[in-house]
Amino acid sequence: MNGQNGQNGHSNGGGAANGNGNGNGNGNGDGGVFSDLVVKGEANGAPAKAEYEFTEEEEDRYNSEDLKLFKQQFDVFDADGSGKIDTNEFLLCCKRMGIDEQKAEELRRKADADSDGFVDFNEFLKLDVVGEVLRSYREARQAKENEARQAEARTHVNVARILSVVRAKIDNSRLAFSFARYLVFLILYTTVVLLQRAPIESVTMSAALQNYFVASKFRDPTGYQLIGWEDVRTDTEFWDWHEQHFLELFYQNRYYNNDFFSPIDSHSILQHIKLTGGFRMLQRRIRNETCWSYENLAPFQPDCYGEIYFEGTVGPLEKEPFVGESGTVYEYERRAWYDFGYYSNFDRNKTRAVEQLRRMRQDRWIAKPTQFYRLDFVLYNPNVGQFAIMEFKAQLRPTGIIIPYVEIYCRRYDFYLTQRDWIRLAMEVILVISFFFFVYAEVQDAIMLASRKQNRWAYFDSFWNIIDFIHFSLFLIVMIIWIYIIADPSVRNLLITEEEITMDNGLPVDFTATVVAVESYFAINGFNMLIAVIRILKYLRMNAFLGQLTDALELMRDGLVQFTIVLFIVIFMFTAIGVILFGRLVPQFTNGLDAIDMVLGFTVGFADPAMLFAYDKLYAIFFYYPFIFLMALFVLPLTIAVIMDGYGEMQAAYQRAKRSNLHDVVELMFPEQMYRGFVRSMQIFVRDKENHKRLKFPPKAEVLKLFAELEDRDVIAFSEVRKKFRDKNITEELLTALVDKYNAFQPDPDWNHLVKKEDEENIEDEQKKDKLAKEDNDPEILRTVIEELQLRTDQILVDQQFMNKKLDMLCEIFPTTAVA
């Protein structure tokens, strides 16, 4: 019978098996609830139950005791004794057990298999009504217990948590809005500089001149080789290039169909570009006897020339006039503080230019003292409104080598001419106003820090403040340079005729000062934008996830600086080794900057070491392999280790923050943060703010102001908070939602303190026992421990007997229907 009952799937409140082999009752007294209903029904004088005759099938499946128990359970539901359970009876019984009406109706429909509105005894048996009811009862009881626990956990408010979260969010919001303002400033700044640079016009015009003057070559009359300016290596090739190639390119007078230029196109090249005048040649010389010489070798070669630097501007310059073979006297001139030397001016007449150039060659104008040479001229392209300053330069080193190179600069004649220029001017005005706004904010911060710390230089204690100071100082410098550029007198005082453009003193156009200013302007802007990239790292702290990069850099800063110093020392030493070994073989190792560039190229992999092996295999082995061994196995791995160590520290701090009160702030992703800030900033366009999931709450600044009054107490009862905020126009519902938003509800800390104290006492007892166990094997101590263990064992046995009696009582109330 027991096996049949298990297969039938029936169960009762006492724990009989269901179809899955599990009891529906439990050991927590669920069956007692049902028996209480039976007792209450009998005590209340329930009507006599209709006699029910069991069918043969039921008698075959269950023994008499089982059927008697099932009938008692059925009678609990059948309050009127009709032999059927109607809807009211079923719902009333479920209500007594604490099951809500919706769940009770669901159980009734499940039990009423034939949907006649009643549950008869057969349906009662087949569908395990009692088991279903008891399961629902347990669920309802568990829900009430959970609700009670939640209510107990929501009696107090963690004010410290709310304040810490709100302050962190306010700081992040301020940083985010500052970043938004700075990002607008930076975009405007970048756009203005790009428009000022006009890179497309400048690059294409420079490329055209490069192709025309530099890329073109002539055939050497002695060696029959094709030579361009950058191929010049001897003084003979130097003069041949000028006479046979440059003059032919410079003095064009015919169209490509061999017709002569019209007056309006005279002195034009590449159709669109016109020469403003002639060209000029400049050299800078060094004085004789400016190097160490040996007296015993003086008869062999008495001349000794040292070296001047930075294009011949620094060093022992020769300033005395010299006389050529033709008797021509060449005077030293200083035309500006930045431009000086021996000048030779050429006009737009080709015949005179050829004669003058040949005379200079005969006079040996380029001689031993010459160490820097420049040929420059200015062109104008009306299509883009730009001047081009073209400079052919050469360093004539005292070692005998000639190093030719070309530089081309472009600048606009007027920076405010077209409609696009006026738009840029409006952007420049806005940019300057924004700059002074940022400077004012920084000054206010500096004053506040100086007042708070009683130190006028307190502002510079922060690394980020130093970055801000450098950034805005550079911006002020470039702003001053730009004012000079647009007001440059060398451009404003030009004498312009149909034939040529000259300076107001009649000399050829000289934009040297402008070139220096323009190049300085854009170079400083480039560096300043690099500072801006570093400054952006500060703003990444507006979001904890993005701020990991900034935090990692700060944590590794000290170690990284130290290893960077080591790295530069290693690079410097190997640069010195490279110059020592390959200085006479490899051109890249002839000077310090090129050598450093080459060593760095070996470090990052863009330089080819095969070049060294091609010059000297033994030196290459001695230089390259130790360098790679040291860099690849020690310096770079240790630098990476420092970086990873900083990253590990940052991750540990990030994980600690996620487990702290600030975990909501830390886990907030950047897109969600931006969305929230956007919604808050656009709240004036939201009509139904009271029902908006975010705007229904007061702003964070107002929340901070409200709870700051309670800052002296970390935890406070919710009822007390409700009383304090009663006159703040904050409803209880909104206050509850606000505290829930910051996850600041918690149980009574005094109760937690008692529980914690009890746990600490238990831990202390356990520690004492451990201490006893670790002491020496003293017989008295062992006897005491054995007696205590014996007492505990006896107590466990007594508790077990008591539990057995309880189980016997439960079995009497809900006897099992299982039969062996």
Side-chain angles (χ1 to χ4, degrees), residues 113 115 262 467 647 690:
S115 301
S262 64
I467 292 295
Y647 178 78
E690 291 74 13

Side-chain angles (χ1 to χ4, degrees), residues 536-775:
I536 288 175
L537 295 176
K538 177 182 75 171
Y539 290 113
L540 293 182
R541 283 180 165 172
M542 65 184 174
N543 180 270
F545 184 78
L546 297 179
Q548 294 180 83
L549 176 61
T550 306
D551 294 337
L553 288 174
E554 285 204 347
L555 288 171
M556 72 179 74
R557 183 174 60 192
D558 295 338
L560 195 60
V561 168
Q562 297 177 46
F563 275 94
T564 302
I565 294 173
V566 173
L567 178 64
F568 277 113
I569 291 175
V570 172
I571 291 175
F572 174 78
M573 293 304 299
F574 274 92
T575 299
I577 295 172
V579 172
I580 293 171
L581 296 179
F582 299 101
R584 66 181 181 84
L585 302 173
V586 183
Q588 289 83 352
F589 280 103
T590 56
N591 65 76
L593 291 178
D594 290 342
I596 291 175
D597 182 65
M598 180 63 65
V599 173
L600 290 174
F602 291 140
T603 304
V604 299
F606 69 77
D608 186 7
M611 175 185 61
L612 301 181
F613 287 87
Y615 281 104
D616 193 306
K617 187 174 294 185
L618 180 62
Y619 284 173
I621 293 174
F622 181 74
F623 169 81
Y624 184 70
Y625 289 121
F627 174 76
I628 293 300
F629 178 80
L630 186 62
M631 296 296 294
L633 298 183
F634 290 96
V635 178
L636 293 181
L638 287 175
T639 305
I640 294 173
V642 171
I643 296 173
M644 295 306 298
D645 185 53
Y647 178 78
E649 290 184 34
M650 178 276 301
Q651 279 293 311
Y654 182 70
Q655 294 301 324
R656 286 195 300 270
K658 290 177 70 173
R659 294 190 295 269
S660 69
N661 288 341
L662 299 176
H663 68 88
D664 290 339
V665 180
V666 174
E667 295 175 354
L668 182 63
M669 291 292 101
F670 180 67
E672 176 66 17
Q673 183 181 4
M674 291 295 98
Y675 169 74
R676 293 181 181 183
F678 177 77
V679 170
R680 181 65 68 178
S681 61
M682 296 290 107
Q683 60 180 326
I684 58 174
F685 301 105
V686 179
R687 295 181 179 179
D688 191 11
K689 298 180 183 178
E690 291 74 13
N691 295 323
H692 194 280
K693 64 178 182 179
R694 296 201 56 79
L695 298 182
K696 66 180 180 181
F697 298 110
K700 291 184 285 292
E702 187 175 336
V703 174
L704 179 63
K705 183 178 180 181
L706 288 172
F707 283 92
E709 300 175 1
L710 310 174
E711 191 170 10
D712 56 333
R713 299 171 63 184
D714 290 343
V715 179
I716 188 172
F718 179 70
S719 57
E720 189 174 346
V721 176
R722 193 168 58 236
K723 291 178 182 179
K724 288 183 176 293
F725 289 174
R726 187 170 296 166
D727 58 343
K728 305 291 186 180
N729 297 324
I730 298 179
T731 63
E732 182 176 349
E733 180 183 0
L734 180 60
L735 181 60
T736 302
L738 183 62
V739 178
D740 271 330
K741 176 185 176 182
Y742 294 104
N743 195 23
F745 276 118
Q746 71 170 57
D748 186 349
D750 293 335
W751 171 256
N752 290 339
H753 175 70
L754 293 175
V755 173
K756 183 178 180 181
K757 184 177 181 181
E758 183 178 349
D759 293 339
E760 291 176 352
E761 291 176 354
N762 292 335
I763 293 173
E764 187 177 352
D765 292 341
E766 293 294 333
Q767 291 175 347
K768 288 180 179 179
K769 293 172 186 176
D770 292 339
K771 183 178 180 180
L772 289 174
K774 292 178 182 179
E775 290 183 358

Side-chain angles (χ1 to χ4, degrees), residues 205-206 209 276 280 374-380 386-393 406-412 491 509-516 518-519:
M205 188 173 175
S206 298
L209 295 174
T276 60
R280 66 177 181 175
R374 184 184 76 207
L375 182 153
D376 63 88
F377 53 92
V378 179
L379 309 97
Y380 177 68
Q386 284 202 126
F387 286 102
I389 302 95
M390 192 157 192
E391 297 179 345
F392 293 86
K393 297 181 179 180
V406 178
E407 292 179 353
I408 303 174
Y409 306 96
C410 294
R411 71 145 292 161
R412 296 187 58 183
V491 177
V509 175
D510 183 5
F511 286 155
T512 306
T514 303
V515 168
V516 173
V518 170
E519 293 306 308

Side-chain angles (χ1 to χ4, degrees), residues 116-128:
D116 60 353
F118 297 93
V119 179
D120 57 26
F121 186 69
N122 189 33
E123 291 174 328
F124 187 85
L125 283 178
K126 289 181 178 180
L127 297 177
D128 190 13

Side-chain angles (χ1 to χ4, degrees), residues 200-491:
I200 296 177
E201 293 86 350
S202 300
V203 169
T204 53
M205 188 173 175
S206 298
L209 295 174
Q210 183 86 11
N211 292 334
Y212 183 75
F213 283 105
V214 183
S216 60
K217 300 186 179 185
F218 77 103
R219 189 171 297 279
D220 179 12
T222 57
Y224 301 102
Q225 298 177 347
L226 292 177
I227 297 176
W229 171 249
E230 294 178 338
D231 301 318
V232 171
R233 293 294 179 268
T234 66
D235 47 7
T236 301
E237 293 175 351
F238 174 89
W239 288 110
D240 288 343
W241 179 86
H242 283 80
E243 290 184 37
Q244 301 181 28
H245 187 61
F246 172 73
L247 293 181
E248 296 299 323
L249 294 175
F250 189 83
Y251 291 104
Q252 288 287 321
N253 59 357
R254 293 176 183 268
Y255 295 110
Y256 61 85
N257 64 356
N258 212 32
D259 291 343
F260 285 100
F261 280 151
S262 64
I264 195 172
D265 290 334
S266 62
H267 303 288
S268 295
I269 60 174
L270 301 174
Q271 297 188 32
H272 302 286
I273 305 174
K274 191 169 183 177
L275 295 165
T276 60
F279 63 91
R280 66 177 181 175
M281 296 169 63
L282 164 75
Q283 68 158 305
R284 295 186 182 125
R285 293 185 163 206
I286 188 172
R287 295 196 304 269
N288 195 0
E289 298 181 355
T290 52
C291 63
W292 294 101
S293 60
Y294 299 96
E295 293 183 2
N296 59 335
L297 293 177
F300 179 74
Q301 178 55 273
D303 296 332
C304 182
Y305 297 96
E307 189 168 2
I308 51 179
Y309 307 94
F310 300 105
E311 297 187 343
T313 58
V314 177
L317 288 172
E318 178 63 77
K319 299 181 182 180
E320 297 298 324
F322 66 93
V323 181
E325 296 291 335
S326 64
T328 305
V329 178
Y330 298 94
E331 299 282 349
Y332 174 88
E333 299 179 64
R334 178 178 288 274
R335 295 187 176 179
W337 65 268
Y338 48 82
D339 200 26
F340 44 82
Y342 297 89
Y343 293 90
S344 291
N345 297 321
F346 293 76
D347 59 21
R348 297 175 60 168
N349 186 283
K350 182 178 180 181
T351 302
R352 286 195 295 269
V354 170
E355 293 177 356
Q356 183 176 349
L357 196 62
R358 288 175 178 173
R359 184 172 61 252
M360 292 173 64
R361 182 172 186 172
Q362 180 185 356
D363 290 341
R364 288 190 290 117
W365 188 73
I366 296 294
K368 290 181 181 180
T370 306
Q371 292 202 359
F372 175 74
Y373 166 79
R374 184 184 76 207
L375 182 153
D376 63 88
F377 53 92
V378 179
L379 309 97
Y380 177 68
N381 188 329
N383 301 323
V384 293
Q386 284 202 126
F387 286 102
I389 302 95
M390 192 157 192
E391 297 179 345
F392 293 86
K393 297 181 179 180
Q395 294 182 24
L396 293 84
R397 307 288 295 276
T399 55
I401 190 172
I402 298 177
I403 305 174
Y405 56 100
V406 178
E407 292 179 353
I408 303 174
Y409 306 96
C410 294
R411 71 145 292 161
R412 296 187 58 183
Y413 173 66
D414 193 335
F415 288 93
Y416 303 102
L417 184 64
T418 66
Q419 183 179 3
R420 187 178 68 173
D421 296 337
W422 293 110
I423 294 174
R424 192 193 71 240
L425 175 61
M427 297 171 66
E428 289 171 354
V429 172
I430 297 173
L431 184 64
V432 171
I433 294 173
S434 302
F435 163 73
F436 284 110
F437 171 80
F438 280 108
V439 170
Y440 175 78
E442 293 297 323
V443 170
Q444 292 296 315
D445 289 344
I447 293 173
M448 180 188 67
L449 289 172
S451 175
R452 181 187 304 171
K453 297 185 178 181
Q454 298 298 313
N455 180 7
R456 68 175 63 183
W457 306 110
Y459 176 82
F460 297 100
D461 292 342
S462 169
F463 169 78
W464 298 110
N465 288 342
I466 295 175
I467 292 295
D468 292 345
F469 177 78
I470 295 173
H471 181 52
F472 292 117
S473 298
L474 291 177
F475 188 90
L476 180 62
I477 292 172
V478 296
M479 188 168 63
I480 295 172
I481 294 175
W482 182 252
I483 294 173
Y484 169 78
I485 291 172
I486 61 179
D488 184 6
S490 64
V491 177

